[in-house]
Amino acid sequence: MTSPFDIAKDMRGEGICMQYSDCTNSFCLGELGAKRDNLPAYVLMAKEEKDIVTGVQFANKYNIKVSVKSTGHSLSGASTAKDTLLIWLAQYPEDNTIQLDYQDSCGDTESHNVIGVAAGQNFKSIAEAVGDDYHFVSASEWTVSASGGFIQGGGVSFTSRHYGLGVDNVVDFRVVLPSSAVVIADRCTNSDLFWALRGGGGGSFGIVTHMNYKLHAPTPIVRFSFNLEESSSNDTTVSTFLKYVAENLPNIDSRWGGRFSWFGLDMYFAGFPRGAQVTFLDDFIEFAMTNLNLPLSFWEKNHTRSYDSWSRVLPELEETTGQAYVAETSFSRLVPHDFATEQTVEHYQLLESLAKSNTLGYTNVLLGQNINKIPESETSVHPAFRESAFLLTANQIGYEKLLEKLPNNVTGASKNHVGSLEPNWRESIWGEHYERLLEIKELYDPRNIFSCYQCVGYEGEETDIYTKGKKLNPPNQAPTGGTIDQPTSAAQVLSTGSKLIIIMIGFSMYLMS
Ligand SMILES: Cc1cc2nc3c(=O)[nH]c(=O)nc-3n(C[C@H](O)[C@H](O)[C@H](O)COP(=O)(O)OP(=O)(O)OC[C@H]3O[C@@H](n4cnc5c(N)ncnc54)[C@H](O)[C@@H]3O)c2cc1C
């Protein structure tokens, strides 16, 4: 068969894989360390919507599956798949049109200020377009694409406690369907698709070529970075610090968001410094001075910094969070607000035991407040997202502890914060929403043309920690047997961790190049 598209293998060295151009890492090959070729058969670098339509028609005609890639940030390697036609959106032109009082097709009284975001466009371009004029909900790194995997996987931001998840900020999508038809999806047009695209994951229901995304009134941002430094090796200090976190952060003012770990806080306040002080900083600093036994030199440093807008925070986040983000976020769990606030001792002991066993991730995100005010049926993210206080991240050993306390019948995970080893991923990522997502998938993609790992309707090999290399489990059915593989020695743990860190360093360098 002849094809108008590039042959994937001819594009080695041009970033065809996720992060490395030589295709030797897990993100390209699938399971960590496996030598499984996960390359697509063809690559279409789409530069306009009709390229995408042509690509999808080609796939339908020759019965080839389609994979989609914007930036390649997917932690589970979902933006490539063996023998597919890969439709790559990295060179799709940006939009950035700002419209005031924009209305969706419902034509009711609801209107929003929005920015038009095209396929493949990342948060850097949005920050540059809006500057200090508006606030917007973004990923922690501006290299992530806005209308692709971030939004379709839920979209957790450090300002989400006040402004909602990414999915709560989309007004409408324009989509090339698996049939190659182009449609709009919003509250009143193709509302089932609109629901599915707001949390059901990228690469499943079609290709989003555009979205109108809410802009909020401008706000200054205060960043509070607190690192215990050498005191983070003192067990008593860490325990005291985590107890404060567990008891106080679930109900902190909605304008605060950010993340914590055993060694400190990285928090953001949407407002002026005085507001930041009275809502949290005064109280926390008094607690820390009294209880954490930090040296005087610690207090000589300035731990807060003010910015005119979120657009000015993002460039700094790229520098500080690049490799750290994924190194330990292969596993995550949503922590129910009730568990955090009513079973406070158990909650605190869980954090403490993760910290002491060196298995707690760096990026444990604050959730709750306005995220939880949106009804759980309104979007397709895991219902537990709407009643959580935190998103905890851990490595594989820590995950076993998390699962013991917070199993799938209590809560779940965030689509954007699970790696390819996530067990029971359908249930874990979507909970009771998976069934409806699958129905919508069958409606819009009856031939299952769009296929990717950890995506709704995926059929193929499973690479999670229970079923590595095994064929598909029927949707909604839990894999049977087995416990999570435990590394046999500390050296093995270290080598796994180092591998991940090396991958991420390369990853960040590739993305920045
Ligand atoms: C450094 C880093 C920082 C991150 N920070 C955050 C964060 O703060 N909050 C958060 O929630 N997540 C965060 N993530 C996770 C990130 O949101 C997910 O990895 C997301 O899937 C990336 O989407 P992408 O489109 O950029 O990547 P890709 O790997 O290109 O795509 C991811 C998935 O979306 C599909 N897809 C991409 N574009 C489209 C499209 N236009 N239409 C349909 N499907 C599409 C792909 O097929 C794939 O399944 C971060 C990840 C990294 C690596």
Side-chain angles (χ1 to χ4, degrees):
M1 169 200 348
T2 56
S3 132
F5 313 122
D6 299 299
I7 303 294
K9 288 197 171 79
D10 294 345
M11 292 186 72
R12 279 176 203 261
E14 293 181 30
I16 179 63
C17 295
M18 295 297 119
Q19 291 85 31
Y20 282 98
S21 53
D22 65 358
C23 302
T24 54
N25 70 75
S26 64
F27 294 91
C28 180
L29 297 174
E31 185 187 349
L32 188 67
K35 295 290 167 212
R36 192 157 52 82
D37 186 344
N38 215 13
L39 285 176
Y42 307 100
V43 179
L44 166 60
M45 183 61 87
K47 297 193 175 136
E48 51 184 325
E49 195 173 73
K50 78 174 181 340
D51 295 342
I52 298 175
V53 171
T54 307
V56 175
Q57 284 167 348
F58 174 85
N60 273 295
K61 184 169 176 190
Y62 293 104
N63 203 19
I64 296 171
K65 290 208 183 288
V66 174
S67 55
V68 189
K69 173 159 103 163
S70 283
T71 66
H73 278 69
S74 164
L75 310 188
S76 60
S79 32
T80 185
K82 189 173 168 59
D83 295 338
T84 54
L85 163 63
L86 171 67
I87 300 185
W88 197 357
L89 306 164
Q91 292 178 15
Y92 202 89
E94 294 171 6
D95 179 10
N96 293 328
T97 308
I98 292 174
Q99 298 186 69
L100 306 183
D101 297 325
Y102 177 82
Q103 283 188 310
D104 61 16
S105 73
C106 304
D108 52 19
T109 48
E110 200 177 305
S111 70
H112 303 277
N113 295 342
V114 295
I115 182 163
V117 182
Q121 199 176 322
N122 64 20
F123 284 108
K124 181 169 194 251
S125 62
I126 300 179
E128 287 169 355
V130 308
D132 298 338
D133 295 344
Y134 298 97
H135 180 80
F136 59 96
V137 167
S138 84
S140 62
E141 298 218 15
W142 69 2
T143 51
V144 174
S145 96
S147 59
F150 171 83
I151 285 293
Q152 293 172 61
V156 175
S157 168
F158 290 158
T159 65
S160 282
R161 294 176 83 251
H162 199 62
Y163 297 98
L165 297 173
V167 285
D168 306 326
N169 283 271
V170 183
V171 176
D172 57 29
F173 290 109
R174 190 176 161 94
V175 192
V176 178
L177 295 177
S179 66
S180 84
V182 182
V183 299
I184 297 294
D186 67 15
R187 286 183 303 143
C188 294
T189 305
N190 298 309
S191 55
D192 53 353
L193 181 63
F194 187 53
W195 180 83
L197 289 171
R198 286 180 302 147
S204 298
F205 302 95
I207 300 186
V208 168
T209 57
H210 188 271
M211 70 173 180
N212 281 305
Y213 195 56
K214 286 183 198 169
L215 293 174
H216 301 276
T219 175
I221 303 283
V222 178
R223 181 177 188 180
F224 177 59
S225 308
F226 177 88
N227 192 321
L228 288 168
E229 294 169 9
E230 54 269 28
S231 302
S232 66
S233 54
N234 178 324
D235 278 357
T236 312
T237 304
V238 170
S239 293
T240 311
F241 167 68
L242 286 177
K243 192 159 189 284
Y244 181 93
V245 166
E247 287 173 355
N248 293 277
L249 296 196
N251 291 324
I252 190 174
D253 188 288
S254 70
R255 289 167 292 174
W256 279 102
R259 58 187 163 162
F260 70 91
S261 196
W262 75 95
F263 55 81
L265 299 169
D266 180 24
M267 308 236 315
Y268 302 81
F269 179 77
F272 290 96
R274 177 77 193 131
Q277 259 178 304
V278 298
T279 50
F280 173 61
L281 291 181
D282 285 350
D283 182 62
F284 178 77
I285 286 166
E286 194 189 322
F287 153 78
M289 289 181 94
T290 319
N291 298 287
L292 296 182
N293 298 321
L294 299 166
L296 209 57
S297 58
F298 183 90
W299 298 106
E300 284 159 9
K301 292 179 208 155
N302 190 357
H303 300 277
T304 58
R305 199 159 163 200
S306 295
Y307 301 83
D308 288 341
S309 67
W310 187 247
S311 300
R312 293 184 191 250
V313 176
L314 278 177
E316 305 220 348
L317 285 176
E318 185 168 40
E319 280 165 30
T320 51
T321 64
Q323 77 211 44
Y325 182 78
V326 183
E328 85 311 331
T329 51
S330 308
F331 299 99
S332 73
R333 285 270 107 183
L334 294 159
V335 180
H337 193 268
D338 285 355
F339 175 77
T341 54
E342 286 166 22
Q343 290 164 260
T344 40
V345 176
E346 261 190 277
H347 175 216
Y348 152 66
Q349 283 172 347
L350 174 64
L351 287 179
E352 193 186 38
S353 110
L354 289 167
K356 283 192 174 155
S357 56
N358 247 340
T359 59
L360 182 65
Y362 308 144
T363 300
N364 303 293
V365 188
L366 274 64
L367 299 176
Q369 291 286 13
N370 292 337
I371 300 173
N372 296 4
K373 293 188 180 146
I374 308 261
E376 60 183 44
S377 59
E378 196 160 311
T379 64
S380 50
V381 295
H382 195 300
F385 248 117
R386 303 301 181 180
E387 48 197 41
S388 291
F390 296 130
L391 176 73
L392 290 187
T393 57
N395 68 12
Q396 192 170 323
I397 303 169
Y399 188 64
E400 201 162 8
K401 286 186 198 211
L402 278 175
L403 265 186
E404 209 177 286
K405 281 274 171 264
L406 302 169
N408 277 349
N409 61 3
V410 173
T411 185
S414 157
K415 165 83 175 131
N416 288 349
H417 299 82
V418 294
S420 66
L421 296 177
E422 177 73 17
N424 279 341
W425 54 265
R426 295 169 182 81
E427 193 186 2
S428 193
I429 295 172
W430 291 291
E432 65 201 42
H433 282 166
Y434 188 76
E435 216 171 312
R436 184 168 169 218
L437 283 166
L438 194 59
E439 279 167 21
I440 296 171
K441 167 77 174 171
E442 282 162 3
L443 194 67
Y444 284 90
D445 188 11
R447 292 173 60 205
N448 210 7
I449 288 280
F450 280 69
S451 179
C452 51
Y453 192 58
Q454 279 184 2
C455 296
V456 172
Y458 169 79
E459 286 170 0
E461 207 170 275
E462 299 287 325
T463 66
D464 70 69
I465 48 181
Y466 294 120
T467 57
K468 285 178 203 171
K470 292 201 185 123
K471 277 283 178 192
L472 174 77
N473 294 293
N476 285 331
Q477 187 180 311
T480 49
T483 53
I484 296 175
D485 294 340
Q486 294 270 358
T488 48
S489 66
Q492 200 178 334
V493 176
L494 182 67
S495 92
T496 307
S498 315
K499 231 184 263 173
L500 280 168
I501 288 165
I502 290 161
I503 287 165
M504 276 316 296
I505 293 168
F507 180 19
S508 306
M509 282 165 59
Y510 165 66
L511 291 169
M512 282 186 249
S513 66

